[in-house]
Amino acid sequence: TEEIQAAAGRLDVHSFLDAADRGVPVLDVRSPSEYAQGHVPGAASVPLFSDDERARVGTLYHAAGRSAAMELGMRLVRPKLGWLVERAAELLAVARASGESSGAVLVHCWRGGLRSGAVAWLLRQHGIEARTLGGGYKAFRAWATAYWGSVEMPPKHARTRVRGARRPKRDGRKSGGAG
């Protein structure tokens, strides 16, 4: 139930977004490429794994099982633990300085499981209140699709052209026009 999730530090999409709207910092702990494909508006990318590390853990999970993948994941993350806490504290300090935060941070990953839960636990051990998004980014996407409908994104090359209008030539002049 929602009460049990809230007690465990898990929020539903509406509660998560309401907190984010009040200025509570949002940490997206997915890999950089996952974040680049889409993220909760205003979320800061604080990746637990690089793209390569995430692929290695996933490959090992399918080849040797959960235990082996967890062991590799812990080995890869161990050197980053201090940075994760420092980054969360920095984001929280900025929010507090602007008077926008209650002193907590919000954390999410893809499905609201291991990555966000582990980071939230780590932050709590360092005195930072942390809440996770139940169902993760996948739940946010489902909510956004239900709210706005299915939105087809143009192919990557089309987005680049629309965004930049005309690209500069190598000599610095705009392409497609008189120099």
Side-chain angles (χ1 to χ4, degrees), residues 49 56-62 64-76:
F49 296 118
R56 287 174 52 201
V57 169
T59 299
L60 187 60
Y61 179 88
H62 292 292
R66 184 173 195 250
S67 182
M70 290 286 292
E71 184 178 324
L72 174 60
M74 287 187 291
R75 206 171 338 127
L76 293 170

Side-chain angles (χ1 to χ4, degrees), residues 57-178:
V57 169
T59 299
L60 187 60
Y61 179 88
H62 292 292
R66 184 173 195 250
S67 182
M70 290 286 292
E71 184 178 324
L72 174 60
M74 287 187 291
R75 206 171 338 127
L76 293 170
V77 169
R78 190 172 295 121
K80 302 175 192 177
L81 296 177
W83 174 80
L84 290 165
V85 173
E86 288 171 13
R87 185 69 179 121
E90 288 169 3
L91 293 167
L92 185 56
V94 168
R96 281 182 173 158
S98 63
E100 295 183 351
S101 182
S102 63
V105 296
L106 303 170
V107 184
H108 77 84
C109 61
W110 173 241
R111 288 185 306 263
L114 279 175
R115 291 182 285 179
S116 61
V119 171
W121 177 87
L122 174 68
L123 297 177
R124 286 186 203 113
Q125 301 313 301
H126 286 81
I128 299 173
E129 183 183 344
R131 302 270 187 241
T132 60
L133 173 57
Y137 183 74
K138 188 175 181 180
F140 168 76
R141 288 284 300 163
W143 171 84
T145 300
Y147 189 83
W148 285 295
S150 181
V151 178
E152 289 294 322
M153 296 302 292
K156 189 174 185 176
H157 68 279
R159 287 191 305 244
T160 303
R161 274 192 240 125
V162 168
R163 205 180 290 142
R166 294 185 295 181
R167 292 184 180 196
K169 290 186 176 182
R170 288 187 183 187
D171 65 2
R173 294 180 298 138
K174 296 275 186 191
S175 61

Side-chain angles (χ1 to χ4, degrees), residues 30-36 47 49-57:
R30 299 174 302 147
S31 69
S33 66
E34 288 175 295
Y35 179 87
F49 296 118
S50 69
D51 293 328
D52 178 62
E53 291 168 340
R54 180 176 166 263
R56 287 174 52 201
V57 169

